[in-house]
Amino acid sequence: MSLSPYFADLRSAYEAELDDLMTDSGGHDVLAKRLKEKRAQLSQLLSMLECNPEMVAVAFHGGIRFLSLAVMRDLVTQEADDLPSWSELRAALELAPWAEELARVVLQDASGDRFLVVTACLEYLQGHTGARPETPGRQPAADDGDGDGDGDGDGDGDGDGDDDDEDRGMDLEEAGAEWLSEQGFERKDRFSDD
C-alpha cells in the first residue's frame, strides 16, 4: 500500500503513541487503563486536534469497525487537504457506542470533522497492516463490550482468562524488551530465576 507522506508520518507518530501507552515502567500491560483515562480527558485534549492528532486519536483505539476497506485504502493515499468530510466517510465505518459519544464531543470543535477522518485512517492503518495483533474494531479488554461481564472476552462467564492474559503479558514483555534492545537500550531480563 502506498501511503501519502501525511499519513506515513502520522502513522509512525500514532504507533509510537500507542506504544507509549502500552506498558508501565514495570513492563505491565496498562493499555486498556490508559485508554480509558484518555477517553475521560477527551474534552481537555481538543486543543491538540490539529497540532498533535495522534495523541488524541488513540482515545478511539478499538472503537471503529470498517465496512469498506477499499474506501479506507484510498483515503490513506491522500493528503490532508484532499480528505472527505466526516459525514461523507461515515457510511464506510461503524463506531462502537462509546466511540459515538466521543465523536459527538469532538465534533463540537471546529477541527473535529477532519480529525475524525484522520483518526479513522490511523485506526485503519494500525489494524489492517499487521502493526498490532488486536482485532480491528475490537474494544480494549477493560471495556470489552461483549456483554458477558466476565472480563476475559470469551463469553463463558467464568472469568478464567488469567492464564491467557499472563501468557500474553509475558509475550508482550519479551517483545518490548527485544524492541528496546534493538533500539540500543540495555536489555534487562525479567525472566531470570528469583
Side-chain angles (χ1 to χ4, degrees), residues 13-30:
Y14 186 69
E15 289 178 356
E17 184 67 16
L18 280 174
D19 284 342
D20 285 348
L21 296 174
M22 181 76 69
T23 55
D24 62 14
S25 59
H28 302 101
D29 185 350
V30 293

Side-chain angles (χ1 to χ4, degrees), residues 27-112:
H28 302 101
D29 185 350
V30 293
L31 180 62
K33 176 184 173 215
R34 288 183 174 172
L35 288 176
K36 191 173 184 178
E37 291 168 357
K38 191 76 96 160
R39 291 171 186 145
Q41 300 168 348
L42 183 68
S43 59
Q44 300 157 16
L45 302 174
L46 295 179
S47 62
M48 300 169 60
L49 295 184
E50 280 193 72
C51 59
N52 295 102
E54 74 283 354
M55 295 182 81
V56 186
V58 293
F60 288 84
H61 180 61
I64 304 174
R65 187 169 73 91
F66 300 98
L67 306 176
S68 175
L69 298 181
V71 167
M72 299 310 299
R73 271 192 303 270
D74 179 57
L75 283 183
V76 297
T77 65
Q78 299 179 30
E79 290 297 327
D81 293 335
D82 300 325
L83 295 173
S85 68
W86 176 243
S87 59
E88 291 174 289
L89 178 59
R90 195 64 182 82
L93 51 83
E94 184 178 277
L95 295 177
W98 59 265
E100 282 280 9
E101 291 297 318
L102 295 181
R104 280 193 268 283
V105 172
V106 166
L107 286 171
Q108 294 173 11
D109 189 271
S111 304

Side-chain angles (χ1 to χ4, degrees), residues 59-191:
F60 288 84
H61 180 61
I64 304 174
R65 187 169 73 91
F66 300 98
L67 306 176
S68 175
L69 298 181
V71 167
M72 299 310 299
R73 271 192 303 270
D74 179 57
L75 283 183
V76 297
T77 65
Q78 299 179 30
E79 290 297 327
D81 293 335
D82 300 325
L83 295 173
S85 68
W86 176 243
S87 59
E88 291 174 289
L89 178 59
R90 195 64 182 82
L93 51 83
E94 184 178 277
L95 295 177
W98 59 265
E100 282 280 9
E101 291 297 318
L102 295 181
R104 280 193 268 283
V105 172
V106 166
L107 286 171
Q108 294 173 11
D109 189 271
S111 304
D113 191 272
R114 177 173 289 174
F115 167 80
L116 287 174
V117 174
V118 168
T119 296
C121 291
L122 291 173
E123 269 293 283
Y124 164 76
L125 287 171
Q126 190 279 326
H128 286 85
T129 57
R132 286 195 184 300
E134 288 110 5
T135 305
R138 180 157 162 67
Q139 297 172 8
D143 187 15
D144 198 7
D146 62 5
D148 68 323
D150 66 352
D152 66 356
D154 62 6
D156 62 6
D158 65 4
D160 67 354
D162 293 340
D163 293 338
D164 291 340
D165 291 344
E166 188 175 307
D167 291 344
R168 268 187 251 126
M170 290 177 62
D171 292 343
L172 286 173
E173 288 180 37
E174 181 65 23
E178 184 68 31
W179 183 84
L180 285 171
S181 176
E182 290 171 2
Q183 305 309 312
F185 293 95
E186 183 177 330
R187 183 180 178 117
K188 294 183 180 175
D189 193 359
R190 295 195 51 196
F191 304 108

